[in-house]
PDB file of all heavy atoms in Angstrom:
ATOM      1  N   ARG A 185     -55.421  32.226 102.499  1.00  0.00           N
ATOM      2  CA  ARG A 185     -55.823  30.908 101.993  1.00  0.00           C
ATOM      3  C   ARG A 185     -57.015  31.047 101.067  1.00  0.00           C
ATOM      4  O   ARG A 185     -57.130  30.367 100.047  1.00  0.00           O
ATOM      5  CB  ARG A 185     -56.154  29.969 103.174  1.00  0.00           C
ATOM      6  CG  ARG A 185     -54.930  29.665 104.046  1.00  0.00           C
ATOM      7  CD  ARG A 185     -55.198  28.566 105.065  1.00  0.00           C
ATOM      8  NE  ARG A 185     -55.236  27.232 104.445  1.00  0.00           N
ATOM      9  CZ  ARG A 185     -55.328  26.101 105.114  1.00  0.00           C
ATOM     10  NH1 ARG A 185     -55.371  26.107 106.449  1.00  0.00           N
ATOM     11  NH2 ARG A 185     -55.342  24.936 104.494  1.00  0.00           N
ATOM     12  N   GLN A 186     -57.964  31.945 101.438  1.00  0.00           N
ATOM     13  CA  GLN A 186     -59.077  32.199 100.535  1.00  0.00           C
ATOM     14  C   GLN A 186     -58.583  32.730  99.178  1.00  0.00           C
ATOM     15  O   GLN A 186     -59.062  32.267  98.107  1.00  0.00           O
ATOM     16  CB  GLN A 186     -60.048  33.209 101.149  1.00  0.00           C
ATOM     17  CG  GLN A 186     -60.966  32.692 102.236  1.00  0.00           C
ATOM     18  CD  GLN A 186     -62.100  33.604 102.513  1.00  0.00           C
ATOM     19  OE1 GLN A 186     -62.404  34.514 101.734  1.00  0.00           O
ATOM     20  NE2 GLN A 186     -62.841  33.367 103.599  1.00  0.00           N
ATOM     21  N   ASN A 187     -57.644  33.659  99.251  1.00  0.00           N
ATOM     22  CA  ASN A 187     -57.129  34.216  97.993  1.00  0.00           C
ATOM     23  C   ASN A 187     -56.452  33.154  97.168  1.00  0.00           C
ATOM     24  O   ASN A 187     -56.602  33.123  95.954  1.00  0.00           O
ATOM     25  CB  ASN A 187     -56.125  35.337  98.336  1.00  0.00           C
ATOM     26  CG  ASN A 187     -56.789  36.563  98.894  1.00  0.00           C
ATOM     27  OD1 ASN A 187     -57.964  36.848  98.615  1.00  0.00           O
ATOM     28  ND2 ASN A 187     -56.018  37.360  99.645  1.00  0.00           N
ATOM     29  N   GLY A 188     -55.747  32.240  97.822  1.00  0.00           N
ATOM     30  CA  GLY A 188     -55.082  31.143  97.084  1.00  0.00           C
ATOM     31  C   GLY A 188     -56.102  30.210  96.434  1.00  0.00           C
ATOM     32  O   GLY A 188     -55.908  29.758  95.285  1.00  0.00           O
ATOM     33  N   ILE A 189     -57.175  29.938  97.149  1.00  0.00           N
ATOM     34  CA  ILE A 189     -58.229  29.055  96.614  1.00  0.00           C
ATOM     35  C   ILE A 189     -58.889  29.740  95.419  1.00  0.00           C
ATOM     36  O   ILE A 189     -59.148  29.102  94.375  1.00  0.00           O
ATOM     37  CB  ILE A 189     -59.235  28.683  97.697  1.00  0.00           C
ATOM     38  CG1 ILE A 189     -58.655  27.706  98.707  1.00  0.00           C
ATOM     39  CG2 ILE A 189     -60.512  28.130  97.062  1.00  0.00           C
ATOM     40  CD1 ILE A 189     -58.341  26.322  98.131  1.00  0.00           C
ATOM     41  N   ARG A 190     -59.258  31.003  95.555  1.00  0.00           N
ATOM     42  CA  ARG A 190     -59.908  31.679  94.445  1.00  0.00           C
ATOM     43  C   ARG A 190     -58.988  31.713  93.214  1.00  0.00           C
ATOM     44  O   ARG A 190     -59.438  31.534  92.090  1.00  0.00           O
ATOM     45  CB  ARG A 190     -60.264  33.127  94.879  1.00  0.00           C
ATOM     46  CG  ARG A 190     -61.579  33.185  95.689  1.00  0.00           C
ATOM     47  CD  ARG A 190     -62.003  34.630  95.930  1.00  0.00           C
ATOM     48  NE  ARG A 190     -61.180  35.280  96.914  1.00  0.00           N
ATOM     49  CZ  ARG A 190     -61.448  35.332  98.207  1.00  0.00           C
ATOM     50  NH1 ARG A 190     -62.527  34.723  98.700  1.00  0.00           N
ATOM     51  NH2 ARG A 190     -60.648  35.968  99.048  1.00  0.00           N
ATOM     52  N   ALA A 191     -57.695  31.931  93.420  1.00  0.00           N
ATOM     53  CA  ALA A 191     -56.738  31.890  92.321  1.00  0.00           C
ATOM     54  C   ALA A 191     -56.701  30.501  91.652  1.00  0.00           C
ATOM     55  O   ALA A 191     -56.661  30.396  90.422  1.00  0.00           O
ATOM     56  CB  ALA A 191     -55.368  32.327  92.778  1.00  0.00           C
ATOM     57  N   ALA A 192     -56.687  29.465  92.474  1.00  0.00           N
ATOM     58  CA  ALA A 192     -56.587  28.098  91.923  1.00  0.00           C
ATOM     59  C   ALA A 192     -57.850  27.759  91.125  1.00  0.00           C
ATOM     60  O   ALA A 192     -57.757  27.183  90.030  1.00  0.00           O
ATOM     61  CB  ALA A 192     -56.404  27.096  93.084  1.00  0.00           C
ATOM     62  N   TYR A 193     -59.020  28.080  91.639  1.00  0.00           N
ATOM     63  CA  TYR A 193     -60.278  27.810  90.952  1.00  0.00           C
ATOM     64  C   TYR A 193     -60.364  28.619  89.652  1.00  0.00           C
ATOM     65  O   TYR A 193     -60.820  28.155  88.613  1.00  0.00           O
ATOM     66  CB  TYR A 193     -61.491  28.077  91.844  1.00  0.00           C
ATOM     67  CG  TYR A 193     -61.857  26.864  92.670  1.00  0.00           C
ATOM     68  CD1 TYR A 193     -61.125  26.467  93.772  1.00  0.00           C
ATOM     69  CD2 TYR A 193     -63.010  26.124  92.345  1.00  0.00           C
ATOM     70  CE1 TYR A 193     -61.475  25.383  94.517  1.00  0.00           C
ATOM     71  CE2 TYR A 193     -63.368  25.031  93.117  1.00  0.00           C
ATOM     72  CZ  TYR A 193     -62.610  24.671  94.188  1.00  0.00           C
ATOM     73  OH  TYR A 193     -62.947  23.560  94.985  1.00  0.00           O
ATOM     74  N   ALA A 194     -59.977  29.892  89.747  1.00  0.00           N
ATOM     75  CA  ALA A 194     -60.007  30.740  88.549  1.00  0.00           C
ATOM     76  C   ALA A 194     -59.112  30.197  87.455  1.00  0.00           C
ATOM     77  O   ALA A 194     -59.477  30.170  86.272  1.00  0.00           O
ATOM     78  CB  ALA A 194     -59.599  32.164  88.911  1.00  0.00           C
ATOM     79  N   LYS A 195     -57.940  29.698  87.854  1.00  0.00           N
ATOM     80  CA  LYS A 195     -57.056  29.112  86.891  1.00  0.00           C
ATOM     81  C   LYS A 195     -57.610  27.851  86.286  1.00  0.00           C
ATOM     82  O   LYS A 195     -57.540  27.619  85.076  1.00  0.00           O
ATOM     83  CB  LYS A 195     -55.674  28.813  87.521  1.00  0.00           C
ATOM     84  CG  LYS A 195     -54.656  28.270  86.517  1.00  0.00           C
ATOM     85  CD  LYS A 195     -53.259  28.245  87.138  1.00  0.00           C
ATOM     86  CE  LYS A 195     -52.245  27.776  86.091  1.00  0.00           C
ATOM     87  NZ  LYS A 195     -50.888  27.739  86.666  1.00  0.00           N
ATOM     88  N   MET A 196     -58.225  26.951  87.115  1.00  0.00           N
ATOM     89  CA  MET A 196     -58.816  25.766  86.567  1.00  0.00           C
ATOM     90  C   MET A 196     -59.983  26.088  85.609  1.00  0.00           C
ATOM     91  O   MET A 196     -60.160  25.407  84.607  1.00  0.00           O
ATOM     92  CB  MET A 196     -59.347  24.878  87.717  1.00  0.00           C
ATOM     93  CG  MET A 196     -58.280  24.142  88.504  1.00  0.00           C
ATOM     94  SD  MET A 196     -58.939  22.940  89.700  1.00  0.00           S
ATOM     95  CE  MET A 196     -59.531  24.031  90.978  1.00  0.00           C
ATOM     96  N   ALA A 197     -60.747  27.145  85.934  1.00  0.00           N
ATOM     97  CA  ALA A 197     -61.943  27.423  85.134  1.00  0.00           C
ATOM     98  C   ALA A 197     -61.674  28.306  83.925  1.00  0.00           C
ATOM     99  O   ALA A 197     -62.340  28.135  82.884  1.00  0.00           O
ATOM    100  CB  ALA A 197     -62.987  28.075  86.036  1.00  0.00           C
ATOM    101  N   THR A 198     -60.718  29.227  84.029  1.00  0.00           N
ATOM    102  CA  THR A 198     -60.511  30.200  82.944  1.00  0.00           C
ATOM    103  C   THR A 198     -59.085  30.239  82.430  1.00  0.00           C
ATOM    104  O   THR A 198     -58.847  30.853  81.365  1.00  0.00           O
ATOM    105  CB  THR A 198     -60.886  31.605  83.431  1.00  0.00           C
ATOM    106  OG1 THR A 198     -59.885  32.057  84.374  1.00  0.00           O
ATOM    107  CG2 THR A 198     -62.261  31.650  84.101  1.00  0.00           C
ATOM    108  N   GLY A 199     -58.120  29.623  83.146  1.00  0.00           N
ATOM    109  CA  GLY A 199     -56.744  29.745  82.774  1.00  0.00           C
ATOM    110  C   GLY A 199     -56.074  30.988  83.324  1.00  0.00           C
ATOM    111  O   GLY A 199     -54.885  31.193  83.162  1.00  0.00           O
ATOM    112  N   ASP A 200     -56.811  31.874  83.961  1.00  0.00           N
ATOM    113  CA  ASP A 200     -56.320  33.115  84.501  1.00  0.00           C
ATOM    114  C   ASP A 200     -56.594  33.180  86.015  1.00  0.00           C
ATOM    115  O   ASP A 200     -57.743  33.241  86.453  1.00  0.00           O
ATOM    116  CB  ASP A 200     -57.004  34.294  83.815  1.00  0.00           C
ATOM    117  CG  ASP A 200     -56.577  35.632  84.346  1.00  0.00           C
ATOM    118  OD1 ASP A 200     -55.636  35.704  85.158  1.00  0.00           O
ATOM    119  OD2 ASP A 200     -57.203  36.635  83.957  1.00  0.00           O
ATOM    120  N   ARG A 201     -55.517  33.150  86.800  1.00  0.00           N
ATOM    121  CA  ARG A 201     -55.710  33.123  88.249  1.00  0.00           C
ATOM    122  C   ARG A 201     -56.300  34.405  88.799  1.00  0.00           C
ATOM    123  O   ARG A 201     -56.811  34.448  89.938  1.00  0.00           O
ATOM    124  CB  ARG A 201     -54.371  32.846  88.969  1.00  0.00           C
ATOM    125  CG  ARG A 201     -53.342  33.988  88.800  1.00  0.00           C
ATOM    126  CD  ARG A 201     -52.031  33.659  89.530  1.00  0.00           C
ATOM    127  NE  ARG A 201     -51.042  34.705  89.337  1.00  0.00           N
ATOM    128  CZ  ARG A 201     -49.836  34.710  89.904  1.00  0.00           C
ATOM    129  NH1 ARG A 201     -49.509  33.722  90.682  1.00  0.00           N
ATOM    130  NH2 ARG A 201     -49.021  35.702  89.685  1.00  0.00           N
ATOM    131  N   THR A 202     -56.245  35.483  88.025  1.00  0.00           N
ATOM    132  CA  THR A 202     -56.793  36.791  88.493  1.00  0.00           C
ATOM    133  C   THR A 202     -58.203  37.009  88.044  1.00  0.00           C
ATOM    134  O   THR A 202     -58.768  38.106  88.241  1.00  0.00           O
ATOM    135  CB  THR A 202     -55.911  37.937  87.970  1.00  0.00           C
ATOM    136  OG1 THR A 202     -55.987  38.016  86.529  1.00  0.00           O
ATOM    137  CG2 THR A 202     -54.471  37.727  88.385  1.00  0.00           C
ATOM    138  N   SER A 203     -58.860  36.048  87.410  1.00  0.00           N
ATOM    139  CA  SER A 203     -60.215  36.206  86.971  1.00  0.00           C
ATOM    140  C   SER A 203     -61.119  36.596  88.151  1.00  0.00           C
ATOM    141  O   SER A 203     -60.989  36.109  89.243  1.00  0.00           O
ATOM    142  CB  SER A 203     -60.726  34.898  86.370  1.00  0.00           C
ATOM    143  OG  SER A 203     -61.923  35.089  85.658  1.00  0.00           O
ATOM    144  N   ALA A 204     -62.028  37.545  87.887  1.00  0.00           N
ATOM    145  CA  ALA A 204     -62.766  38.235  88.950  1.00  0.00           C
ATOM    146  C   ALA A 204     -63.824  37.350  89.622  1.00  0.00           C
ATOM    147  O   ALA A 204     -64.411  36.490  88.976  1.00  0.00           O
ATOM    148  CB  ALA A 204     -63.431  39.504  88.398  1.00  0.00           C
ATOM    149  N   TRP A 205     -64.073  37.626  90.913  1.00  0.00           N
ATOM    150  CA  TRP A 205     -65.091  36.980  91.682  1.00  0.00           C
ATOM    151  C   TRP A 205     -66.048  38.035  92.258  1.00  0.00           C
ATOM    152  O   TRP A 205     -65.650  39.152  92.561  1.00  0.00           O
ATOM    153  CB  TRP A 205     -64.492  36.248  92.897  1.00  0.00           C
ATOM    154  CG  TRP A 205     -63.641  35.065  92.512  1.00  0.00           C
ATOM    155  CD1 TRP A 205     -62.316  35.111  92.128  1.00  0.00           C
ATOM    156  CD2 TRP A 205     -63.990  33.695  92.479  1.00  0.00           C
ATOM    157  NE1 TRP A 205     -61.841  33.829  91.868  1.00  0.00           N
ATOM    158  CE2 TRP A 205     -62.876  32.935  92.094  1.00  0.00           C
ATOM    159  CE3 TRP A 205     -65.185  33.016  92.773  1.00  0.00           C
ATOM    160  CZ2 TRP A 205     -62.931  31.551  91.970  1.00  0.00           C
ATOM    161  CZ3 TRP A 205     -65.224  31.618  92.642  1.00  0.00           C
ATOM    162  CH2 TRP A 205     -64.100  30.922  92.243  1.00  0.00           C
ATOM    163  N   LYS A 206     -67.300  37.655  92.394  1.00  0.00           N
ATOM    164  CA  LYS A 206     -68.273  38.480  93.107  1.00  0.00           C
ATOM    165  C   LYS A 206     -68.493  37.850  94.469  1.00  0.00           C
ATOM    166  O   LYS A 206     -68.874  36.702  94.587  1.00  0.00           O
ATOM    167  CB  LYS A 206     -69.592  38.583  92.349  1.00  0.00           C
ATOM    168  CG  LYS A 206     -70.627  39.395  93.094  1.00  0.00           C
ATOM    169  CD  LYS A 206     -71.791  39.779  92.186  1.00  0.00           C
ATOM    170  CE  LYS A 206     -71.350  40.884  91.283  1.00  0.00           C
ATOM    171  NZ  LYS A 206     -72.530  41.428  90.521  1.00  0.00           N
ATOM    172  N   ARG A 207     -68.183  38.601  95.519  1.00  0.00           N
ATOM    173  CA  ARG A 207     -68.230  38.082  96.887  1.00  0.00           C
ATOM    174  C   ARG A 207     -69.388  38.697  97.666  1.00  0.00           C
ATOM    175  O   ARG A 207     -69.546  39.929  97.677  1.00  0.00           O
ATOM    176  CB  ARG A 207     -66.889  38.365  97.606  1.00  0.00           C
ATOM    177  CG  ARG A 207     -65.690  37.749  96.853  1.00  0.00           C
ATOM    178  CD  ARG A 207     -64.361  38.222  97.435  1.00  0.00           C
ATOM    179  NE  ARG A 207     -64.225  37.846  98.834  1.00  0.00           N
ATOM    180  CZ  ARG A 207     -63.227  38.298  99.614  1.00  0.00           C
ATOM    181  NH1 ARG A 207     -62.314  39.124  99.130  1.00  0.00           N
ATOM    182  NH2 ARG A 207     -63.182  37.950 100.891  1.00  0.00           N
ATOM    183  N   THR A 208     -70.150  37.854  98.330  1.00  0.00           N
ATOM    184  CA  THR A 208     -71.376  38.328  98.991  1.00  0.00           C
ATOM    185  C   THR A 208     -71.510  37.645 100.340  1.00  0.00           C
ATOM    186  O   THR A 208     -71.178  36.483 100.490  1.00  0.00           O
ATOM    187  CB  THR A 208     -72.600  37.963  98.136  1.00  0.00           C
ATOM    188  OG1 THR A 208     -72.395  38.449  96.800  1.00  0.00           O
ATOM    189  CG2 THR A 208     -73.873  38.581  98.698  1.00  0.00           C
ATOM    190  N   ALA A 209     -72.011  38.353 101.331  1.00  0.00           N
ATOM    191  CA  ALA A 209     -72.375  37.812 102.631  1.00  0.00           C
ATOM    192  C   ALA A 209     -73.833  37.377 102.609  1.00  0.00           C
ATOM    193  O   ALA A 209     -74.709  38.137 102.193  1.00  0.00           O
ATOM    194  CB  ALA A 209     -72.150  38.831 103.741  1.00  0.00           C
ATOM    195  N   VAL A 210     -74.058  36.117 103.054  1.00  0.00           N
ATOM    196  CA  VAL A 210     -75.404  35.549 102.938  1.00  0.00           C
ATOM    197  C   VAL A 210     -75.812  34.947 104.272  1.00  0.00           C
ATOM    198  O   VAL A 210     -75.025  34.137 104.828  1.00  0.00           O
ATOM    199  CB  VAL A 210     -75.457  34.459 101.878  1.00  0.00           C
ATOM    200  CG1 VAL A 210     -76.850  33.843 101.780  1.00  0.00           C
ATOM    201  CG2 VAL A 210     -75.040  35.021 100.510  1.00  0.00           C
ATOM    202  N   PRO A 211     -76.970  35.279 104.867  1.00  0.00           N
ATOM    203  CA  PRO A 211     -77.398  34.619 106.064  1.00  0.00           C
ATOM    204  C   PRO A 211     -77.671  33.115 105.831  1.00  0.00           C
ATOM    205  O   PRO A 211     -78.118  32.733 104.766  1.00  0.00           O
ATOM    206  CB  PRO A 211     -78.704  35.328 106.426  1.00  0.00           C
ATOM    207  CG  PRO A 211     -78.625  36.630 105.719  1.00  0.00           C
ATOM    208  CD  PRO A 211     -77.859  36.359 104.452  1.00  0.00           C
ATOM    209  N   THR A 212     -77.391  32.289 106.812  1.00  0.00           N
ATOM    210  CA  THR A 212     -77.529  30.883 106.667  1.00  0.00           C
ATOM    211  C   THR A 212     -78.710  30.342 107.443  1.00  0.00           C
ATOM    212  O   THR A 212     -79.229  31.003 108.360  1.00  0.00           O
ATOM    213  CB  THR A 212     -76.267  30.117 107.098  1.00  0.00           C
ATOM    214  OG1 THR A 212     -76.194  30.228 108.551  1.00  0.00           O
ATOM    215  CG2 THR A 212     -75.034  30.687 106.476  1.00  0.00           C
ATOM    216  N   LYS A 213     -79.126  29.140 107.150  1.00  0.00           N
ATOM    217  CA  LYS A 213     -80.250  28.508 107.854  1.00  0.00           C
ATOM    218  C   LYS A 213     -79.881  28.209 109.315  1.00  0.00           C
ATOM    219  O   LYS A 213     -80.775  28.047 110.145  1.00  0.00           O
ATOM    220  CB  LYS A 213     -80.589  27.205 107.113  1.00  0.00           C
ATOM    221  CG  LYS A 213     -81.930  26.618 107.568  1.00  0.00           C
ATOM    222  CD  LYS A 213     -82.343  25.487 106.696  1.00  0.00           C
ATOM    223  CE  LYS A 213     -83.720  24.956 107.131  1.00  0.00           C
ATOM    224  NZ  LYS A 213     -84.184  23.830 106.283  1.00  0.00           N
ATOM    225  N   GLY A 214     -78.577  28.174 109.602  1.00  0.00           N
ATOM    226  CA  GLY A 214     -78.157  27.874 110.977  1.00  0.00           C
ATOM    227  C   GLY A 214     -78.068  29.121 111.856  1.00  0.00           C
ATOM    228  O   GLY A 214     -77.730  29.035 113.044  1.00  0.00           O
ATOM    229  N   GLY A 215     -78.312  30.301 111.304  1.00  0.00           N
ATOM    230  CA  GLY A 215     -78.318  31.522 112.126  1.00  0.00           C
ATOM    231  C   GLY A 215     -77.074  32.334 112.001  1.00  0.00           C
ATOM    232  O   GLY A 215     -76.959  33.362 112.687  1.00  0.00           O
ATOM    233  N   GLY A 216     -76.104  31.948 111.206  1.00  0.00           N
ATOM    234  CA  GLY A 216     -74.889  32.748 111.046  1.00  0.00           C
ATOM    235  C   GLY A 216     -74.889  33.340 109.657  1.00  0.00           C
ATOM    236  O   GLY A 216     -75.923  33.613 109.049  1.00  0.00           O
ATOM    237  N   HIS A 217     -73.639  33.601 109.170  1.00  0.00           N
ATOM    238  CA  HIS A 217     -73.489  34.136 107.810  1.00  0.00           C
ATOM    239  C   HIS A 217     -72.398  33.339 107.092  1.00  0.00           C
ATOM    240  O   HIS A 217     -71.451  32.878 107.702  1.00  0.00           O
ATOM    241  CB  HIS A 217     -73.100  35.617 107.870  1.00  0.00           C
ATOM    242  CG  HIS A 217     -74.227  36.499 108.286  1.00  0.00           C
ATOM    243  ND1 HIS A 217     -74.666  36.618 109.572  1.00  0.00           N
ATOM    244  CD2 HIS A 217     -75.062  37.321 107.528  1.00  0.00           C
ATOM    245  CE1 HIS A 217     -75.678  37.480 109.636  1.00  0.00           C
ATOM    246  NE2 HIS A 217     -75.923  37.914 108.382  1.00  0.00           N
ATOM    247  N   ALA A 218     -72.557  33.224 105.816  1.00  0.00           N
ATOM    248  CA  ALA A 218     -71.534  32.624 104.960  1.00  0.00           C
ATOM    249  C   ALA A 218     -71.127  33.589 103.897  1.00  0.00           C
ATOM    250  O   ALA A 218     -71.933  34.459 103.493  1.00  0.00           O
ATOM    251  CB  ALA A 218     -72.076  31.359 104.321  1.00  0.00           C
ATOM    252  N   GLU A 219     -69.890  33.482 103.454  1.00  0.00           N
ATOM    253  CA  GLU A 219     -69.458  34.188 102.278  1.00  0.00           C
ATOM    254  C   GLU A 219     -69.622  33.315 101.059  1.00  0.00           C
ATOM    255  O   GLU A 219     -69.185  32.162 101.062  1.00  0.00           O
ATOM    256  CB  GLU A 219     -67.990  34.626 102.394  1.00  0.00           C
ATOM    257  CG  GLU A 219     -67.477  35.342 101.117  1.00  0.00           C
ATOM    258  CD  GLU A 219     -66.031  35.757 101.163  1.00  0.00           C
ATOM    259  OE1 GLU A 219     -65.515  35.923 102.294  1.00  0.00           O
ATOM    260  OE2 GLU A 219     -65.396  35.912 100.121  1.00  0.00           O
ATOM    261  N   VAL A 220     -70.273  33.846 100.041  1.00  0.00           N
ATOM    262  CA  VAL A 220     -70.444  33.133  98.784  1.00  0.00           C
ATOM    263  C   VAL A 220     -69.732  33.890  97.673  1.00  0.00           C
ATOM    264  O   VAL A 220     -70.004  35.060  97.462  1.00  0.00           O
ATOM    265  CB  VAL A 220     -71.967  33.001  98.439  1.00  0.00           C
ATOM    266  CG1 VAL A 220     -72.133  32.240  97.111  1.00  0.00           C
ATOM    267  CG2 VAL A 220     -72.703  32.301  99.555  1.00  0.00           C
ATOM    268  N   ASP A 221     -68.813  33.175  97.006  1.00  0.00           N
ATOM    269  CA  ASP A 221     -68.053  33.745  95.885  1.00  0.00           C
ATOM    270  C   ASP A 221     -68.486  33.128  94.593  1.00  0.00           C
ATOM    271  O   ASP A 221     -68.526  31.900  94.473  1.00  0.00           O
ATOM    272  CB  ASP A 221     -66.561  33.512  96.106  1.00  0.00           C
ATOM    273  CG  ASP A 221     -65.986  34.139  97.406  1.00  0.00           C
ATOM    274  OD1 ASP A 221     -66.706  34.982  97.998  1.00  0.00           O
ATOM    275  OD2 ASP A 221     -64.898  33.746  97.817  1.00  0.00           O
ATOM    276  N   VAL A 222     -68.774  33.928  93.593  1.00  0.00           N
ATOM    277  CA  VAL A 222     -69.202  33.498  92.301  1.00  0.00           C
ATOM    278  C   VAL A 222     -68.151  33.965  91.291  1.00  0.00           C
ATOM    279  O   VAL A 222     -67.843  35.150  91.205  1.00  0.00           O
ATOM    280  CB  VAL A 222     -70.583  34.069  91.920  1.00  0.00           C
ATOM    281  CG1 VAL A 222     -70.983  33.582  90.508  1.00  0.00           C
ATOM    282  CG2 VAL A 222     -71.617  33.633  92.946  1.00  0.00           C
ATOM    283  N   LEU A 223     -67.638  33.042  90.485  1.00  0.00           N
ATOM    284  CA  LEU A 223     -66.628  33.371  89.482  1.00  0.00           C
ATOM    285  C   LEU A 223     -67.388  34.050  88.320  1.00  0.00           C
ATOM    286  O   LEU A 223     -68.218  33.409  87.663  1.00  0.00           O
ATOM    287  CB  LEU A 223     -65.927  32.114  89.003  1.00  0.00           C
ATOM    288  CG  LEU A 223     -64.765  32.284  88.034  1.00  0.00           C
ATOM    289  CD1 LEU A 223     -63.663  33.176  88.605  1.00  0.00           C
ATOM    290  CD2 LEU A 223     -64.191  30.911  87.649  1.00  0.00           C
ATOM    291  N   VAL A 224     -67.091  35.328  88.075  1.00  0.00           N
ATOM    292  CA  VAL A 224     -67.870  36.081  87.127  1.00  0.00           C
ATOM    293  C   VAL A 224     -67.824  35.507  85.744  1.00  0.00           C
ATOM    294  O   VAL A 224     -68.824  35.423  85.057  1.00  0.00           O
ATOM    295  CB  VAL A 224     -67.374  37.572  87.115  1.00  0.00           C
ATOM    296  CG1 VAL A 224     -68.070  38.366  86.069  1.00  0.00           C
ATOM    297  CG2 VAL A 224     -67.585  38.207  88.458  1.00  0.00           C
ATOM    298  N   ALA A 225     -66.648  35.088  85.291  1.00  0.00           N
ATOM    299  CA  ALA A 225     -66.493  34.538  83.953  1.00  0.00           C
ATOM    300  C   ALA A 225     -67.140  33.155  83.832  1.00  0.00           C
ATOM    301  O   ALA A 225     -67.506  32.775  82.728  1.00  0.00           O
ATOM    302  CB  ALA A 225     -65.032  34.463  83.555  1.00  0.00           C
TER     303      ALA A 225
END
Side-chain angles (χ1 to χ4, degrees):
R185 296 188 75 173
Q186 283 197 13
N187 289 334
I189 288 293
R190 280 188 285 267
Y193 272 74
K195 184 171 183 177
M196 285 187 286
T198 71
D200 177 9
R201 67 179 178 177
T202 65
S203 194
W205 293 83
K206 179 165 285 189
R207 301 171 60 189
T208 309
V210 180
T212 71
K213 193 172 183 178
H217 287 77
E219 176 180 337
V220 180
D221 299 346
V222 179
L223 186 59
V224 175

